[in-house]
Amino acid sequence: MSDWFSVRDRSILVTGGGGGLGRMISAAFLGAGARVTITGRKAAALDSAAEALAPLGPIETLCGDLREPVAAAELARAYRATGRPLDVLINNAGRTWGEPLATFPHSAWTDVMGVNVTAPFVLVQELLPLLTAGASASRPACVINIGSVYAHLTDVMHSYSYAASKAAIHQLTRVLARELAPRHVLVNAIAPGLFHTRMTDFVFSNEAPRARALAGIPLGRAGAAEDIGGLTVFLASRAGAYLTGTVLTLDGGMSLSQ
Ligand SMILES: NC(=O)c1ccc[n+]([C@@H]2O[C@H](COP(=O)([O-])OP(=O)(O)OC[C@H]3O[C@@H](n4cnc5c(N)ncnc54)[C@H](OP(=O)(O)O)[C@@H]3O)[C@@H](O)[C@H]2O)c1
């Protein structure tokens, strides 16, 4: 049993790994002995995140914006050019936009879809040769897509494109899981509920919305680094090797009451 949860020496790529959930995930893999590459838009922010994480283990950075498919393909090419293997791709980078229906801008539809759905698809396309290269039945490669409970909730605070993008990434997860299973690539998604990050800071920075949000979570708290880190490491370990095409809800029971 000692090896069941091991990800030691596995190579992990975490998009948006410099902050928020991506940083929690990256820290968990580094702490478990994996080698991690994090991506982000700004070199300076990425370097300072990498510096903070470096005491945990070997970490590298790659800079790039994922809004446009060509840029996602370019990022994948840059990863391939490093010569590093790839065992686990974590499509974590995401953006959101909330605005009433009448004024919701078209750009907030295309940008959100670009980062949350198109980029994960392009990264899988472009990195598949690397993922399959080291994969076998006993040691499958993994794609882990970070979705959201907003894929199935309807009270989504005017984040129309975000909710639609998360439903899309959940379905893409199932479609790719079926196609890639024979090539020993597992594809799963995690649907987080509420975690305190830059994306949700507006909830936590005011007492009333914070109290309202926490009241809607049966376990009575927001998600923590151990929750997202533990689940992603599990999915990438031997213990998770019989799961593919699943969407794992990680929300403290938030979806139960809505
Ligand atoms: N927080 C929650 O409660 C929650 C709940 C459900 C799902 N999620 C999902 O969790 C994932 C991480 O979000 P978070 O909560 O950690 O928010 P966050 O702190 O705002 O992080 C978002 C990450 O995505 C990256 N990103 C955003 N736009 C990008 C772009 N155009 N190109 C490349 N990278 C871009 C950011 O990179 P930079 O370093 O360049 O800014 C950042 O690292 C997202 O997919 C989000 O939808 C979060």
Side-chain angles (χ1 to χ4, degrees), residues 135-191:
S136 65
S138 61
R139 199 171 181 271
C142 299
V143 176
I144 302 173
N145 295 319
I146 305 300
S148 171
V149 290
Y150 272 21
H152 55 259
L153 302 184
T154 48
D155 181 10
V156 298
M157 294 184 283
H158 302 295
S159 56
Y160 306 100
S161 54
Y162 182 79
S165 75
K166 293 302 182 177
I169 196 70
H170 290 185
Q171 173 64 352
L172 183 62
T173 296
R174 289 186 279 262
V175 169
L176 290 177
R178 182 174 178 156
E179 178 161 343
L180 299 181
R183 299 171 74 179
H184 310 304
V185 179
L186 313 175
V187 188
N188 291 293
I190 295 173

Side-chain angles (χ1 to χ4, degrees), residues 13-20 22-23 26 36-50 53 59-67 71-72 74-76 78-79 84 90 92-95 115 123 198:
L13 175 60
V14 185
T15 66
R23 186 161 171 160
S26 300
V36 175
T37 302
I38 57 174
T39 82
R41 286 166 294 180
K42 295 189 187 104
L46 209 48
D47 287 347
S48 95
L53 289 167
I59 180 154
E60 305 285 344
T61 61
L62 272 184
C63 207
D65 193 308
L66 292 169
R67 257 177 315 176
E74 181 51 44
L75 191 82
Y79 185 86
R84 289 193 280 277
I90 304 191
N92 161 78
R95 61 181 286 146
V115 178
L123 289 174
R198 195 175 53 194

